[in-house]
Amino acid sequence: MKCRVCRGEAVIDIRRHNANFCAPHFLHHCEEQVAKTIADFEMFVPHDRVLVAVSGGKDSLGLWDLLLRLGYAVDGFYIGLGIEGYSDESGDYARAFAKERHVTLVEVDLPDDYGFDVPNGAKAARRVPCSACGLSKRHLFDKAALDGGYDVVATGHNLDDEAAVLFGNVLRWNTDYLARQRPVLAARAGFPRKVKPLVRLGEREMAAYCVLRGIDYQVEECPMADGNRHLGYKEALNAIEVQSPGSKHAFYFGFLDKVAPALHEEAEQERDALGRCTRCGAPSAGEVCSFCRLVDRATKARS
Ligand code: Q46
Ligand code: ZN
Ligand code: ZN
């Protein structure tokens, strides 16, 4: 197996690009893919302040590393979710990364700062854990970005994640979710700009990137993910990809190219139509936003 660029010994093959790379050229390839994504979708410019959501896993730490190498001013944001056997360790990886590189990690802890953890909060609110968790993460991330004066928030969703979410939304024709599934969401009152710079890189590439860069990350997935429908969609897409390399990329980028523009208007109107939460001021369809309601129910159940 020879590197496409230098003909040296390759360490990874990427079938959808029909290419093999040696370590240095693979790392360069990852940087190039991220730089191209940022430029193509006009995600941010060099003087923008970027806040990246870090979970301690390969995607978010890999993304933080890539953005720093590309010369952007990026701080990390970590939320302690209080998930036993997972959260303590994930926080350690995020802190170690920040310390080694002398970069800032902003932290919020659900149990310490809001009085509940994801498993108990979900139970009290009668939501599945990932729904209570996702809702809390979105709310706290928006708040941290606005409070800290960041121009843009970045998440480590990769091509596999986005293709799987798209697959699920298409299976159910969730047009409101489809309308919001783009790698850039513009800023609106109460919402920072949101970007996903890893959409050209797959899960396997992000794992290889971290290993080759010597980035320590949490390998174990969150224990609450079991039964998450997206895992099944990922498996289905992986089986298709084996038969037909490039399918995930064609599926996701074909959607962005051909379908997303038609749905765009709908998403913008929906966001503009939102009022404000009377408690915390966040954008909300009701008088009190769903995060404040979750906090109420979760903390009442404990007291
Ligand atoms: S952390 Fe939270 Fe994920 Fe765990 S509870 Fe679900 S959403 S699986 S990315
Ligand atoms: Zn090479
Ligand atoms: Zn609120």
Side-chain angles (χ1 to χ4, degrees):
M1 204 163 83
K2 298 265 181 260
C3 169
R4 169 158 98 178
V5 185
C6 69
R7 312 305 298 160
E9 195 58 36
V11 296
I12 187 164
D13 65 310
I14 307 179
R15 288 186 63 203
R16 74 172 183 285
H17 291 309
N18 205 4
N20 307 320
F21 292 103
C22 68
H25 286 123
F26 171 69
L27 295 171
H28 181 69
H29 162 82
C30 293
E31 283 181 32
E32 251 178 11
Q33 293 294 306
V34 171
K36 178 174 166 47
T37 309
I38 294 168
D40 285 356
F41 293 101
E42 299 177 343
M43 290 184 166
F44 40 83
V45 291
H47 63 259
D48 278 341
R49 288 184 68 219
V50 184
L51 187 66
V52 56
V54 291
S55 66
K58 64 185 187 320
D59 301 305
S60 55
L61 291 181
L63 172 61
W64 199 359
D65 182 84
L66 280 156
L67 294 180
L68 289 170
R69 283 176 191 279
L70 289 170
Y72 293 104
V74 199
D75 292 344
F77 178 61
Y78 174 80
I79 306 173
L81 301 167
I83 299 172
E84 219 183 288
Y86 173 73
S87 292
D88 289 347
E89 204 185 320
S90 64
D92 289 344
Y93 284 108
R95 279 174 220 117
F97 180 99
K99 197 169 163 209
E100 230 172 79
R101 287 159 185 81
H102 308 288
V103 287
T104 303
L105 179 71
V106 181
E107 290 196 52
V108 169
D109 191 73
L110 270 187
D112 284 354
D113 299 327
Y114 290 91
F116 72 99
D117 55 34
V118 162
N120 288 318
K123 223 182 284 162
R126 297 215 181 90
R127 283 173 174 264
V128 291
C130 290
S131 149
C133 180
L135 154 66
S136 305
K137 287 198 284 198
R138 279 191 300 276
H139 178 92
L140 295 172
F141 196 22
D142 288 352
K143 180 171 158 36
L146 295 173
D147 289 353
Y150 293 91
D151 299 293
V152 54
V153 299
T155 53
H157 296 97
N158 59 40
L159 176 61
D160 292 73
D161 298 324
E162 291 304 291
V165 170
L166 176 61
F167 194 55
N169 286 336
V170 168
L171 275 181
R172 288 180 171 70
W173 292 115
N174 287 329
T175 49
D176 45 342
Y177 288 142
L178 284 171
R180 271 174 272 151
Q181 211 195 335
R182 280 173 296 123
V184 181
L185 289 179
R188 280 284 180 282
F191 289 112
R193 189 184 335 146
K194 293 181 184 170
V195 300
K196 298 172 181 170
L198 294 185
V199 291
R200 282 181 185 278
L201 294 170
E203 209 144 84
R204 186 169 148 266
E205 288 139 86
M206 287 315 295
Y209 181 84
C210 287
V211 170
L212 292 171
R213 280 276 183 233
I215 298 170
D216 276 336
Y217 63 90
Q218 187 171 35
V219 177
E220 288 79 46
E221 298 288 337
C222 168
M224 305 265 147
D226 281 355
N228 185 322
R229 279 203 298 253
H230 289 135
L231 294 181
Y233 299 150
K234 276 188 182 173
E235 276 170 27
L237 287 171
N238 284 342
I240 295 170
E241 186 78 16
V242 170
Q243 294 295 319
S244 170
S247 295
K248 279 181 213 171
H249 181 98
F251 179 50
Y252 179 64
F253 282 90
F255 163 76
L256 292 184
D257 204 28
K258 298 180 179 140
V259 183
L263 298 168
H264 187 71
E265 241 341 84
E266 192 180 323
E268 298 292 296
Q269 281 170 2
E270 218 175 86
R271 267 159 59 115
D272 285 341
L274 290 177
R276 293 291 181 145
C277 169
T278 50
R279 301 265 192 85
C280 73
S284 169
E287 195 177 315
V288 177
C289 78
S290 34
F291 179 72
C292 287
R293 277 184 279 138
L294 172 65
V295 174
D296 274 356
R297 295 172 85 167
T299 48
K300 256 181 217 139
R302 285 167 72 90
S303 58

